Amino acid sequence: MMRINKVVYFDNAATSYPKPESFFDAFNSFYRHKGGNPGRSGHSLSIAAGEVLEEARELLARLLNISDPFRIIFTFNASYALNLAFRGLLKEGDFVLTSSIEHNSVARPLRTLQKAGLIDFEIVPVNVSTGIIELEALEAALKKRKIKLVAIVHGSNVVGTVQPIKEIARLVHQYGALLLLDAAQTAGTYPIDVQADEIDILAFTGHKGLFGPQGIGGLYVRPGIDLNIFFAGGTGSKSEEDIQPEFMPDRLEIGTPNAGGAASLAAGVMFVLEKGVENIHAYEKKLINKLIEGLESIPRVRIIARDTAERVPVVSFVVDGMSVSEVGYLLDSQYGICTRVGLHCAPWAHRSFGTFPEGTVRASLSIFNNDDEIEYFLEALGKIAGG
Amino acid sequence: MEKVILFESTRHAIRAEKILKEAGLAIKVIPTPRKYSSNCGVSISFSENEADRITALLKERAVPFSGPFDL
């Protein structure tokens, strides 16, 4: 079999690679020709940098159907955004519901707040063959006591399941709770409409489906929800006061932002908008289905949560009789295929699917993958599993 | 007469400028006049007869500002 590329990259759920060409141009142009500190000074380079930051906010607002871009604040990544949401929203004695397949970006902040004696939470199970949260169990948990917040991962980074978010939101709101969506895997790869989907708070990262750089992400907070100020600092506004401004985004966005990162993120979001999220999703769905069908015909390969209907282009599997690290190592060293093996920062999820502590091999795609790469991967894995 | 609107943040000024220019309104981005205290170094000026359209549009698009004041 022929090596088709130098590298076949199937680890887009960790970070997308490659990036669109415009990503590089935007970064280059930012630091060569703009490069001031956004929102700080009134001179031309500061304004130029500020325009880049606001452009990124507006493009994200367009992508997610957010009416007021100032309801989006930039953070380092989705984990920081999620922490900000928990710290800004939860008060002592509050109760949170979450799913049994959350990433550690949700699991650890909740456990931390619980251990500090501030909050408590309950984990709602998912169906192990689909990865979808058990809606009856969710409703029962909502009925049991007063719930402040329901924090749910939109697309599973382990098995790819996309949750029926509209249905979940309706249920959550029926019982007077708020919905926090972890959209790390879905922003840019799966259609999201915060208004139609009734999402109260949404955390995203820039470096996955939005094709931005690592080190920039953000949080959307719907109008009417004022998160408490957890981090305070310079904003370039109200500088005569040592009180944090109340208005968004300055209320929550402090210090010099990653404006060069925002330039490349804006280019990435523009790339997604030009392609169309629906088209990206349709293309990736075709590829991932081809991959799953191929996996099913390889002896000893077992796919986790096979029956999910709606998914981001992520699939987890194990090869019976082989360790996942051996499979991953052979794919990489013999065939130049990058996958991710192990627990994917999601021990809860692997416990739920019975793949703890060994984990799985995960293949995750992007619009830059193609049919030839899927065929090459399947042939390589066939040899590894067969040999 | 010329009017001016002020902003609490350059972020707001930048977004306001973009929205108003896209709507084809004749505006100018000017250094904030000394007689007005503002945190943002830039303000937006325009002729009085455009004031209603401009303030309505910024309110509709949720961009915070103060004014209009006399320039």
Side-chain angles (χ1 to χ4, degrees):
Chain A
M1 63 196 277
M2 265 219 332
R3 279 283 278 269
I4 48 175
N5 275 329
K6 214 165 79 185
V7 159
V8 172
Y9 188 79
F10 278 7
D11 196 17
N12 290 280
T15 197
S16 60
Y17 175 89
K19 306 291 185 190
E21 214 34 53
S22 54
F23 170 107
F24 307 99
D25 298 338
F27 195 80
N28 193 345
S29 161
F30 180 86
Y31 278 114
R32 272 184 204 288
H33 306 300
K34 296 161 188 170
N37 192 328
R40 288 344 191 234
S41 318
H43 59 68
S44 58
L45 292 189
S46 172
I47 299 278
E51 283 169 354
V52 167
L53 198 67
E54 298 321 313
E55 170 83 1
R57 231 188 284 275
E58 281 174 30
L59 291 171
L60 285 161
R62 206 199 301 170
L63 180 70
L64 304 171
N65 196 27
I66 290 165
S67 58
D68 176 5
F70 291 138
R71 304 304 302 185
I72 301 169
I73 59 144
F74 290 113
T75 62
F76 300 131
N77 47 46
S79 292
Y80 265 89
L82 289 161
N83 273 269
L84 211 54
F86 290 131
R87 297 276 176 175
L89 193 68
L90 299 174
K91 293 186 186 65
E92 197 171 343
D94 280 342
F95 205 98
V96 178
L97 297 180
T98 191
S99 88
S100 65
I101 57 169
E102 296 303 312
H103 189 276
N104 268 342
S105 60
V106 165
R108 284 181 173 169
L110 287 178
R111 193 64 83 195
T112 303
L113 289 166
Q114 185 196 43
K115 283 185 83 172
L118 291 170
I119 65 145
D120 206 352
F121 65 93
E122 182 179 331
I123 300 168
V124 179
V126 301
N127 178 301
V128 291
S129 57
T130 63
I132 291 184
I133 192 164
E134 299 280 10
L135 292 175
E136 282 175 19
L138 177 63
E139 183 158 19
L142 283 161
K143 265 185 190 158
K144 207 174 351 176
R145 54 167 75 80
K146 173 75 192 151
I147 303 297
K148 176 67 173 272
L149 179 72
V150 179
I152 298 282
V153 61
H154 191 199
S156 165
N157 70 308
V158 175
V159 294
T161 303
V162 173
Q163 299 296 335
I165 210 62
K166 231 174 180 166
E167 255 177 289
I168 292 173
R170 225 164 272 160
L171 207 52
V172 166
H173 292 144
Q174 195 185 320
Y175 290 91
L178 295 173
L179 178 65
L180 166 58
L181 196 67
D182 170 5
Q185 294 296 340
T186 47
T189 58
Y190 195 86
I192 297 177
D193 178 330
V194 299
Q195 297 181 69
D197 297 340
E198 296 179 44
I199 298 159
D200 297 302
I201 307 175
L202 178 146
F204 63 90
T205 193
H207 67 101
K208 295 181 178 177
L210 298 175
F211 296 104
Q214 298 171 6
I216 188 168
L219 189 69
Y220 158 75
V221 186
R222 101 163 137 68
I225 300 174
D226 289 328
L227 295 187
N228 287 321
I229 292 155
F230 184 67
F231 293 116
T235 56
S237 54
K238 295 240 177 202
S239 295
E240 77 282 8
E241 292 176 4
D242 61 8
I243 306 285
Q244 192 70 20
E246 292 282 323
F247 56 84
M248 290 280 279
D250 303 43
R251 179 187 183 89
L252 303 175
E253 194 175 276
I254 53 147
T256 299
N258 180 1
S264 285
L265 175 58
V269 176
M270 187 54 105
F271 172 80
V272 170
L273 287 166
E274 280 169 359
K275 296 264 176 210
V277 187
E278 278 84 1
N279 298 331
I280 291 173
H281 175 59
Y283 176 80
E284 291 174 347
K285 191 172 179 177
K286 203 175 68 139
L287 280 189
I288 197 77
N289 284 343
K290 180 178 173 137
L291 177 53
I292 291 169
E293 280 163 29
L295 285 173
E296 283 177 324
S297 63
I298 299 174
R300 297 203 286 153
V301 168
R302 193 156 45 85
I303 300 165
I304 312 304
R306 166 69 183 90
D307 300 334
T308 194
E310 282 299 300
R311 65 163 77 227
V312 284
V314 173
V315 65
S316 255
F317 62 91
V318 292
V319 180
D320 286 332
M322 286 182 87
S323 77
V324 294
S325 46
E326 191 184 357
V327 176
Y329 175 76
L330 289 171
L331 283 169
D332 183 23
S333 61
Q334 303 291 308
Y335 301 98
I337 298 169
C338 303
T339 57
R340 182 168 169 195
V341 302
L343 293 173
H344 314 100
C345 296
W348 286 4
H350 283 282
R351 281 183 197 279
S352 298
F353 295 119
T355 48
F356 188 88
E358 164 87 354
T360 55
V361 183
R362 182 186 70 182
S364 52
L365 313 178
S366 92
I367 193 165
F368 288 103
N369 293 122
N370 58 44
D371 281 315
D372 290 347
E373 290 176 321
I374 302 289
E375 283 159 21
Y376 175 75
F377 172 87
L378 290 168
E379 209 179 327
L381 188 71
K383 291 212 164 99
I384 289 169
Chain B
M1 178 183 267
E2 285 286 295
K3 292 280 186 185
V4 63
I5 51 175
L6 314 178
F7 301 92
E8 284 182 301
S9 164
T10 316
R11 290 165 178 155
H12 298 161
I14 286 168
R15 181 155 163 76
E17 180 192 2
K18 193 172 175 201
I19 288 169
L20 297 173
K21 281 194 171 157
E22 277 171 5
L25 291 155
I27 54 145
K28 272 190 284 193
V29 178
I30 58 163
T32 301
R34 271 194 73 104
K35 61 179 167 176
Y36 297 115
S37 139
S38 163
N39 270 283
C40 175
V42 291
S43 298
I44 289 180
S45 72
F46 41 83
S47 78
E48 191 170 11
N49 53 23
E50 296 277 33
D52 289 347
R53 270 183 75 194
I54 284 170
T55 54
L57 185 54
L58 292 181
K59 276 177 191 158
E60 183 196 318
R61 303 289 292 275
V63 181
F65 64 92
S66 59
F69 304 111
D70 294 339
L71 186 64

